[in-house]
Amino acid sequence: MEKYLELIFYLIIQIPVYVLLALMPYLTRKTESFGFSIPREVYNRPELNGMRKRYVLFVTVWTVLAVFGYIGCLSVIKVEPGILMAMWTGGYLCGSFVVYLLFHFQMKRLKTANEWHKLKRQTVVIDTQFRNRNIVHSNGWFIPPFLIAITTTILLIVNYPSLPDQLPQQYDFQGNITNTVAKSYGSVLGLSITQISITVLLLLMNVMIGRTKQQIDADRPKQSLEQNIIFRRSWSAFTIGSCYSLVLLFTLMNVAMFIHIPPFVLMIATLIQVVIMVAWAALLSFKVGQGGDRLQATSSEKSGAVNRDDDQYWKLGQVYCNPHDPAIFVEKRFGIGWTINVARPGSWLMLIGLLVIILIPIWLSR
């Protein structure tokens, strides 16, 4: 029974990950293809359509092999619930990246042979009033979840003496306690500190969405600008929603220290939270697309220019390394969301700060 529950939980995570990975070439901007910039007008050429279809096929075959491999390992490898799933998911993502690389290098040969940018006017479009518009939702939305986390922390400190000496730390898929931890301020406050860390992390993410470098399509700048604003506001709302749902979920787990809540209730609450957030993210990806590129065009503007070819700064089409660009955050070249400019020291300081915020609650809860 436990193996079936593990498999069901694995598929709940695996299926949306597969769908997003397989359809990524269709969610990316139409001015980019497998990590390379292209003129929008060549997006629907037969050879590019064929590459996207083959990529979907390759990812599908790889996913089927991964699922059957996971099923086989479930009956052979004896590890704690979740560990095999985490390891397998990591291996699956690494294999998917290899599939991407096959098409990345194929795309490189295709672009080199056709020289699409050679006879085009390349330009960069900047809107000087962009930051003055409401491109993200207010950071004030993070005050309520922060207050909830602080209130939870205070209640745990006040009621610390009444808590049992051993606290449940881990359950199996049937709701049985598989591991406990001795009571300490670190173990008791671990979840509430995690709440605070999550709130700070998602607040920083909301700030990052607002400060990310502009990327406006030179061929249709006005339309692209409006789509980009919708794109940022949509993901800003998603970030705020994620913060509320996670803080409330961890509050429920904290309450379980004082009041008996059946483990299956906690498991169902966790599943509901995961399903809602994954469905929300998938909906945004399909409806809005990277940079808002999938939103329906409301004008027929066409300047004939193309974005400046900056492929030399994208390593393998995934890592942005441009020491001449002051921007820290930029849109991903292949995928949905943002990445960093690894050539800027501020990017590494930001990563170290985020890592510290994530590791503090883990270290305290040991």
PDB file of all heavy atoms in Angstrom, residues 25-44:
ATOM      1  N   PRO A  25       9.571  24.733 -25.491  1.00  0.00           N
ATOM      2  CA  PRO A  25       9.836  25.505 -26.714  1.00  0.00           C
ATOM      3  C   PRO A  25       8.642  26.333 -27.184  1.00  0.00           C
ATOM      4  O   PRO A  25       8.806  27.312 -27.908  1.00  0.00           O
ATOM      5  CB  PRO A  25      10.190  24.421 -27.744  1.00  0.00           C
ATOM      6  CG  PRO A  25      10.622  23.251 -26.934  1.00  0.00           C
ATOM      7  CD  PRO A  25       9.792  23.295 -25.686  1.00  0.00           C
ATOM      8  N   TYR A  26       7.424  25.915 -26.788  1.00  0.00           N
ATOM      9  CA  TYR A  26       6.225  26.645 -27.198  1.00  0.00           C
ATOM     10  C   TYR A  26       5.877  27.758 -26.204  1.00  0.00           C
ATOM     11  O   TYR A  26       5.067  28.628 -26.510  1.00  0.00           O
ATOM     12  CB  TYR A  26       5.033  25.680 -27.307  1.00  0.00           C
ATOM     13  CG  TYR A  26       5.221  24.621 -28.363  1.00  0.00           C
ATOM     14  CD1 TYR A  26       5.746  23.370 -28.042  1.00  0.00           C
ATOM     15  CD2 TYR A  26       4.893  24.874 -29.691  1.00  0.00           C
ATOM     16  CE1 TYR A  26       5.934  22.400 -29.012  1.00  0.00           C
ATOM     17  CE2 TYR A  26       5.068  23.906 -30.676  1.00  0.00           C
ATOM     18  CZ  TYR A  26       5.593  22.669 -30.320  1.00  0.00           C
ATOM     19  OH  TYR A  26       5.786  21.711 -31.291  1.00  0.00           O
ATOM     20  N   LEU A  27       6.457  27.694 -24.985  1.00  0.00           N
ATOM     21  CA  LEU A  27       6.179  28.703 -23.959  1.00  0.00           C
ATOM     22  C   LEU A  27       7.209  29.822 -23.979  1.00  0.00           C
ATOM     23  O   LEU A  27       6.972  30.914 -23.465  1.00  0.00           O
ATOM     24  CB  LEU A  27       6.157  28.056 -22.566  1.00  0.00           C
ATOM     25  CG  LEU A  27       5.221  26.856 -22.402  1.00  0.00           C
ATOM     26  CD1 LEU A  27       5.307  26.296 -20.983  1.00  0.00           C
ATOM     27  CD2 LEU A  27       3.785  27.265 -22.702  1.00  0.00           C
ATOM     28  N   THR A  28       8.383  29.532 -24.547  1.00  0.00           N
ATOM     29  CA  THR A  28       9.452  30.531 -24.655  1.00  0.00           C
ATOM     30  C   THR A  28       9.053  31.595 -25.683  1.00  0.00           C
ATOM     31  O   THR A  28       8.198  31.366 -26.526  1.00  0.00           O
ATOM     32  CB  THR A  28      10.757  29.822 -25.080  1.00  0.00           C
ATOM     33  OG1 THR A  28      11.054  28.807 -24.120  1.00  0.00           O
ATOM     34  CG2 THR A  28      11.919  30.785 -25.142  1.00  0.00           C
ATOM     35  N   ARG A  29       9.695  32.760 -25.588  1.00  0.00           N
ATOM     36  CA  ARG A  29       9.424  33.817 -26.573  1.00  0.00           C
ATOM     37  C   ARG A  29       9.643  33.307 -28.001  1.00  0.00           C
ATOM     38  O   ARG A  29      10.554  32.493 -28.234  1.00  0.00           O
ATOM     39  CB  ARG A  29      10.359  35.004 -26.333  1.00  0.00           C
ATOM     40  CG  ARG A  29      10.000  35.892 -25.150  1.00  0.00           C
ATOM     41  CD  ARG A  29      11.064  36.940 -24.949  1.00  0.00           C
ATOM     42  NE  ARG A  29      10.764  37.859 -23.865  1.00  0.00           N
ATOM     43  CZ  ARG A  29      10.123  39.015 -24.017  1.00  0.00           C
ATOM     44  NH1 ARG A  29       9.730  39.389 -25.221  1.00  0.00           N
ATOM     45  NH2 ARG A  29       9.897  39.796 -22.978  1.00  0.00           N
ATOM     46  N   LYS A  30       8.865  33.835 -28.942  1.00  0.00           N
ATOM     47  CA  LYS A  30       9.021  33.439 -30.345  1.00  0.00           C
ATOM     48  C   LYS A  30      10.235  34.101 -30.988  1.00  0.00           C
ATOM     49  O   LYS A  30      10.506  33.865 -32.165  1.00  0.00           O
ATOM     50  CB  LYS A  30       7.749  33.776 -31.128  1.00  0.00           C
ATOM     51  CG  LYS A  30       6.559  32.937 -30.706  1.00  0.00           C
ATOM     52  CD  LYS A  30       5.326  33.250 -31.525  1.00  0.00           C
ATOM     53  CE  LYS A  30       4.169  32.356 -31.081  1.00  0.00           C
ATOM     54  NZ  LYS A  30       2.913  32.649 -31.825  1.00  0.00           N
ATOM     55  N   THR A  31      10.945  34.911 -30.235  1.00  0.00           N
ATOM     56  CA  THR A  31      12.195  35.503 -30.729  1.00  0.00           C
ATOM     57  C   THR A  31      13.398  34.728 -30.198  1.00  0.00           C
ATOM     58  O   THR A  31      14.540  35.183 -30.348  1.00  0.00           O
ATOM     59  CB  THR A  31      12.299  36.970 -30.291  1.00  0.00           C
ATOM     60  OG1 THR A  31      12.112  37.043 -28.862  1.00  0.00           O
ATOM     61  CG2 THR A  31      11.253  37.820 -30.982  1.00  0.00           C
ATOM     62  N   GLU A  32      13.134  33.572 -29.570  1.00  0.00           N
ATOM     63  CA  GLU A  32      14.214  32.736 -29.045  1.00  0.00           C
ATOM     64  C   GLU A  32      13.891  31.272 -29.306  1.00  0.00           C
ATOM     65  O   GLU A  32      12.728  30.873 -29.230  1.00  0.00           O
ATOM     66  CB  GLU A  32      14.390  32.983 -27.537  1.00  0.00           C
ATOM     67  CG  GLU A  32      14.894  34.384 -27.218  1.00  0.00           C
ATOM     68  CD  GLU A  32      14.527  34.841 -25.822  1.00  0.00           C
ATOM     69  OE1 GLU A  32      13.900  34.056 -25.093  1.00  0.00           O
ATOM     70  OE2 GLU A  32      14.863  35.980 -25.473  1.00  0.00           O
ATOM     71  N   SER A  33      14.892  30.481 -29.594  1.00  0.00           N
ATOM     72  CA  SER A  33      14.668  29.072 -29.885  1.00  0.00           C
ATOM     73  C   SER A  33      15.850  28.242 -29.381  1.00  0.00           C
ATOM     74  O   SER A  33      16.977  28.456 -29.828  1.00  0.00           O
ATOM     75  CB  SER A  33      14.491  28.880 -31.409  1.00  0.00           C
ATOM     76  OG  SER A  33      14.266  27.519 -31.709  1.00  0.00           O
ATOM     77  N   PHE A  34      15.585  27.380 -28.439  1.00  0.00           N
ATOM     78  CA  PHE A  34      16.605  26.496 -27.851  1.00  0.00           C
ATOM     79  C   PHE A  34      17.877  27.246 -27.462  1.00  0.00           C
ATOM     80  O   PHE A  34      18.991  26.799 -27.709  1.00  0.00           O
ATOM     81  CB  PHE A  34      16.926  25.345 -28.813  1.00  0.00           C
ATOM     82  CG  PHE A  34      15.770  24.415 -29.034  1.00  0.00           C
ATOM     83  CD1 PHE A  34      15.044  24.465 -30.218  1.00  0.00           C
ATOM     84  CD2 PHE A  34      15.384  23.520 -28.054  1.00  0.00           C
ATOM     85  CE1 PHE A  34      13.955  23.623 -30.418  1.00  0.00           C
ATOM     86  CE2 PHE A  34      14.301  22.668 -28.244  1.00  0.00           C
ATOM     87  CZ  PHE A  34      13.587  22.726 -29.426  1.00  0.00           C
ATOM     88  N   GLY A  35      17.676  28.411 -26.856  1.00  0.00           N
ATOM     89  CA  GLY A  35      18.814  29.175 -26.308  1.00  0.00           C
ATOM     90  C   GLY A  35      19.430  30.173 -27.263  1.00  0.00           C
ATOM     91  O   GLY A  35      20.410  30.822 -26.903  1.00  0.00           O
ATOM     92  N   PHE A  36      18.881  30.329 -28.475  1.00  0.00           N
ATOM     93  CA  PHE A  36      19.427  31.287 -29.451  1.00  0.00           C
ATOM     94  C   PHE A  36      18.349  32.295 -29.836  1.00  0.00           C
ATOM     95  O   PHE A  36      17.161  31.942 -29.932  1.00  0.00           O
ATOM     96  CB  PHE A  36      19.907  30.548 -30.700  1.00  0.00           C
ATOM     97  CG  PHE A  36      21.150  29.737 -30.477  1.00  0.00           C
ATOM     98  CD1 PHE A  36      21.065  28.380 -30.182  1.00  0.00           C
ATOM     99  CD2 PHE A  36      22.407  30.334 -30.537  1.00  0.00           C
ATOM    100  CE1 PHE A  36      22.202  27.628 -29.959  1.00  0.00           C
ATOM    101  CE2 PHE A  36      23.557  29.584 -30.311  1.00  0.00           C
ATOM    102  CZ  PHE A  36      23.458  28.236 -30.013  1.00  0.00           C
ATOM    103  N   SER A  37      18.788  33.536 -30.079  1.00  0.00           N
ATOM    104  CA  SER A  37      17.840  34.555 -30.532  1.00  0.00           C
ATOM    105  C   SER A  37      17.599  34.369 -32.024  1.00  0.00           C
ATOM    106  O   SER A  37      18.522  34.037 -32.784  1.00  0.00           O
ATOM    107  CB  SER A  37      18.402  35.952 -30.250  1.00  0.00           C
ATOM    108  OG  SER A  37      19.590  36.168 -30.982  1.00  0.00           O
ATOM    109  N   ILE A  38      16.354  34.586 -32.433  1.00  0.00           N
ATOM    110  CA  ILE A  38      15.975  34.448 -33.846  1.00  0.00           C
ATOM    111  C   ILE A  38      15.008  35.575 -34.201  1.00  0.00           C
ATOM    112  O   ILE A  38      14.324  36.101 -33.317  1.00  0.00           O
ATOM    113  CB  ILE A  38      15.292  33.082 -34.130  1.00  0.00           C
ATOM    114  CG1 ILE A  38      14.040  32.930 -33.259  1.00  0.00           C
ATOM    115  CG2 ILE A  38      16.257  31.929 -33.921  1.00  0.00           C
ATOM    116  CD1 ILE A  38      13.190  31.719 -33.613  1.00  0.00           C
ATOM    117  N   PRO A  39      14.919  35.964 -35.446  1.00  0.00           N
ATOM    118  CA  PRO A  39      13.869  36.890 -35.860  1.00  0.00           C
ATOM    119  C   PRO A  39      12.498  36.230 -35.691  1.00  0.00           C
ATOM    120  O   PRO A  39      12.357  35.030 -35.956  1.00  0.00           O
ATOM    121  CB  PRO A  39      14.173  37.155 -37.344  1.00  0.00           C
ATOM    122  CG  PRO A  39      15.608  36.782 -37.508  1.00  0.00           C
ATOM    123  CD  PRO A  39      15.849  35.660 -36.550  1.00  0.00           C
ATOM    124  N   ARG A  40      11.522  36.987 -35.242  1.00  0.00           N
ATOM    125  CA  ARG A  40      10.192  36.414 -35.004  1.00  0.00           C
ATOM    126  C   ARG A  40       9.633  35.751 -36.263  1.00  0.00           C
ATOM    127  O   ARG A  40       8.919  34.748 -36.194  1.00  0.00           O
ATOM    128  CB  ARG A  40       9.249  37.524 -34.516  1.00  0.00           C
ATOM    129  CG  ARG A  40       7.821  37.083 -34.234  1.00  0.00           C
ATOM    130  CD  ARG A  40       7.005  38.221 -33.676  1.00  0.00           C
ATOM    131  NE  ARG A  40       7.463  38.583 -32.345  1.00  0.00           N
ATOM    132  CZ  ARG A  40       7.015  38.017 -31.222  1.00  0.00           C
ATOM    133  NH1 ARG A  40       6.077  37.083 -31.290  1.00  0.00           N
ATOM    134  NH2 ARG A  40       7.476  38.392 -30.058  1.00  0.00           N
ATOM    135  N   GLU A  41       9.945  36.291 -37.435  1.00  0.00           N
ATOM    136  CA  GLU A  41       9.343  35.795 -38.678  1.00  0.00           C
ATOM    137  C   GLU A  41       9.792  34.380 -39.053  1.00  0.00           C
ATOM    138  O   GLU A  41       9.151  33.734 -39.873  1.00  0.00           O
ATOM    139  CB  GLU A  41       9.702  36.744 -39.818  1.00  0.00           C
ATOM    140  CG  GLU A  41      11.200  36.792 -40.128  1.00  0.00           C
ATOM    141  CD  GLU A  41      11.552  37.952 -41.043  1.00  0.00           C
ATOM    142  OE1 GLU A  41      11.040  39.054 -40.789  1.00  0.00           O
ATOM    143  OE2 GLU A  41      12.344  37.729 -41.984  1.00  0.00           O
ATOM    144  N   VAL A  42      10.906  33.911 -38.460  1.00  0.00           N
ATOM    145  CA  VAL A  42      11.360  32.560 -38.829  1.00  0.00           C
ATOM    146  C   VAL A  42      10.836  31.499 -37.858  1.00  0.00           C
ATOM    147  O   VAL A  42      11.114  30.306 -38.032  1.00  0.00           O
ATOM    148  CB  VAL A  42      12.902  32.482 -38.887  1.00  0.00           C
ATOM    149  CG1 VAL A  42      13.459  33.567 -39.793  1.00  0.00           C
ATOM    150  CG2 VAL A  42      13.527  32.541 -37.501  1.00  0.00           C
ATOM    151  N   TYR A  43      10.104  31.915 -36.833  1.00  0.00           N
ATOM    152  CA  TYR A  43       9.642  30.978 -35.790  1.00  0.00           C
ATOM    153  C   TYR A  43       8.846  29.814 -36.382  1.00  0.00           C
ATOM    154  O   TYR A  43       8.955  28.679 -35.929  1.00  0.00           O
ATOM    155  CB  TYR A  43       8.797  31.740 -34.772  1.00  0.00           C
ATOM    156  CG  TYR A  43       8.212  30.866 -33.673  1.00  0.00           C
ATOM    157  CD1 TYR A  43       8.974  30.496 -32.571  1.00  0.00           C
ATOM    158  CD2 TYR A  43       6.894  30.401 -33.758  1.00  0.00           C
ATOM    159  CE1 TYR A  43       8.448  29.703 -31.573  1.00  0.00           C
ATOM    160  CE2 TYR A  43       6.358  29.590 -32.764  1.00  0.00           C
ATOM    161  CZ  TYR A  43       7.134  29.252 -31.665  1.00  0.00           C
ATOM    162  OH  TYR A  43       6.608  28.456 -30.691  1.00  0.00           O
ATOM    163  N   ASN A  44       8.045  30.088 -37.414  1.00  0.00           N
ATOM    164  CA  ASN A  44       7.164  29.046 -37.968  1.00  0.00           C
ATOM    165  C   ASN A  44       7.751  28.346 -39.193  1.00  0.00           C
ATOM    166  O   ASN A  44       7.030  27.661 -39.919  1.00  0.00           O
ATOM    167  CB  ASN A  44       5.801  29.656 -38.326  1.00  0.00           C
ATOM    168  CG  ASN A  44       4.990  29.975 -37.078  1.00  0.00           C
ATOM    169  OD1 ASN A  44       4.957  29.199 -36.118  1.00  0.00           O
ATOM    170  ND2 ASN A  44       4.352  31.137 -37.069  1.00  0.00           N
TER     171      ASN A  44
END
